[in-house]
Amino acid sequence: MTISLPRYHSAPFVRTSRLARTWAIVRREFVRRARWGTLLAVGISFTAVILTVTFDVEFTSFIGAVTAATYYGPYTSPAWPLLTLIVAATAGAGSIAEDVGSRAITLYATRPIQLVDYLGGKAAACASWIAIAAILPGVVGVLITATLALPSAEVALSALAAFIATGLLTTVFFAGLALALSSLTTRSLYAGAAIFGVVLSLYIGVAVVVGITGSAYVPYASPVTDVLSVAHAAFGVSGTPPTDPGASAALLAGSGVLLTAFAAWRLSRIEVVTE
Amino acid sequence: MTGVVDAQDVTKRYGEVLGLNGFTAAFAPGITGLVGPNGAGKSTLFRLLAGQLRVDAGSLTLLGYDAWGEGDFRRRVGYCPEHYALFDWMTGEDFVETLLRVDGFSRSEARARAARAIEEVGLTEARHRRVAAYSKGMRQRIKLAQCVAHDPELLLLDEPLNGVDPVGRAALSALLRQLQARGRHLIVSSHVLYEVERLTDQIVMIANGRALAQGDLHRIRDLIDTHPHVIDLETPDPRGLARFLGSWDHVVAIEFPGPDRVRVQSRSPEEFYRQLPGLVVSEGLDVRGVHSADDNLDAVFRYLSEGHP
């Protein structure tokens, strides 16, 4: 008599692409990140930016020609980048930290996906929220003014491009920062505080140091100043920006990519031992 | 070694603390119970197998692949973690479906498989409730559902019956046996020894990060020569029976735990069971029941771990 173990047989199926598998993470993660703080900051961004843009363009159209620079209003103060920072802190802080802290990361890590897919999903969800706060209000503002036939099509398109370019650079940097700091801790609160603290202290610290030393290089260290500088150039505003816009743009994009790479490196070394 | 899971001298440290200390074992196909007290290293081994931890020394493979790493072989593995941290903001159905989508199933296939897996673990009625509202037992079931939903070849189940009510335990145990009957390999850890004993005879015993013994539970028991086997016999005349048993060389002690019972300690259970029928027939003895009081996991583990403080 021969005794043999039952054989494993699994019904064949067509596996979806890596992109589709990553999308499953993005979808769920995006919904998960809809926190009150995030929604509030997004709501304020929309209201403030749309009102500013509409008022500025409406007012200018009475007294003269509307240009792309007319749309620069939301960037005349650091308020919008700082609101975007709040979105980055509330939506991005828990991206990795919560999964590692609760050990729920194992539910993803034991699936046939690669580290880059997991991180890509997290980054896309976090970046989507940041982009909603950093790009969309400006775009909607332009569309509203265009609907009211206030700017010419050429001006509207230039303003649109300026909002998108500046918003994209803001998104890349803040998303990278959020992921990197989120990968350093298992508490989203710490990561959120660090995201906010790093950017805010750099902004204030740089202002203080520049006030004392008058250095032309120190302002590059502040991401908010870099964003304002890029916007200054993108909207074609007259005058001298605080930093060279090209260098600031390269800094924002480069450090965003480097910070995301750092998060990937951290993830590849994370061992889940939290009790 | 050619097991489903092969561990060769695996060492894992947490700073100064040794999680696993030269752990060597081969897990055979079918159901294998990984048993040991709390802190023995069971969860460390599971986390190593799940790719959450990396071995500091030695080698650890599952289905022939290095346990630390990512790749397609993970689709052939299902992992039911010990912890209860799940995606609490989702419904039970969304939770299983999302993980199936990450596994690479289409939306419709994922939905169908999620429904099937949830039904198998008996959570169909609660599938639309948020995981956050689930009881401990329900969380255990939904974890099991996500573990089996993609039809894996190897299931790593870390304390799968913990927190489940007795009726649920019976149902889940039956499900695990069904999975084995369908050709799946299961590694089931538990510190509740009788649970594992009811599932399988194939065990790996672990204590202080080392494998104490592995293989068939009863065979392991036979190899423990230093502890005489305890055998209970039911008879209306315990003292009459004891007179004969006392003359056998391998019988080292006789007790009378009840008015109709004799408890014998024998150094050679094989010899005992060979001689007993002959004695009963030749002397016309009335023996109504025989059972080994310590041929069970609890006793075996106790004996083995005595030498491993």
Side-chain angles (χ1 to χ4, degrees), chain A residues 22 25-26 29 95-96 116-130 171 175-176 179 260 263:
Chain A
T22 307
I25 299 175
V26 178
E29 189 66 16
S95 291
I96 297 168
V116 68
D117 302 330
Y118 171 80
L119 189 67
K122 292 284 178 178
C126 170
S128 299
W129 275 112
I130 297 172
T171 301
L179 289 173
T260 308

Side-chain angles (χ1 to χ4, degrees), chain A residues 5-6 8-9 13 15-16 21 24 28 32 102-104 106 110-113 115 268 271-273 275, chain B residues 12 14 29 47 50 52-54 70 72 75 83 85 89 98 101-104 146 151 153 180-181 184:
Chain A
L5 283 164
Y8 169 74
H9 172 75
F13 72 101
R15 204 159 149 208
T16 54
R21 280 177 275 151
R28 296 300 179 193
R32 183 187 188 184
S102 69
R103 284 177 284 163
T106 60
T110 50
R111 304 280 151 178
I113 58 166
L115 171 72
S268 71
E271 295 185 74
V272 187
V273 295
E275 283 302 331
Chain B
K12 179 66 198 173
Y14 301 107
R47 287 181 202 169
Q52 298 168 28
L53 299 176
R54 194 190 327 222
E70 53 195 25
D72 280 356
R75 204 186 69 74
H83 61 79
W89 71 97
T98 297
R101 296 275 286 141
V102 177
D103 270 321
Q146 65 81 28
D151 212 7
E153 182 177 356
Q180 184 205 13
R184 275 60 178 161

Side-chain angles (χ1 to χ4, degrees), chain B residues 92 94 137 232:
Chain B
D94 279 348
D232 281 352

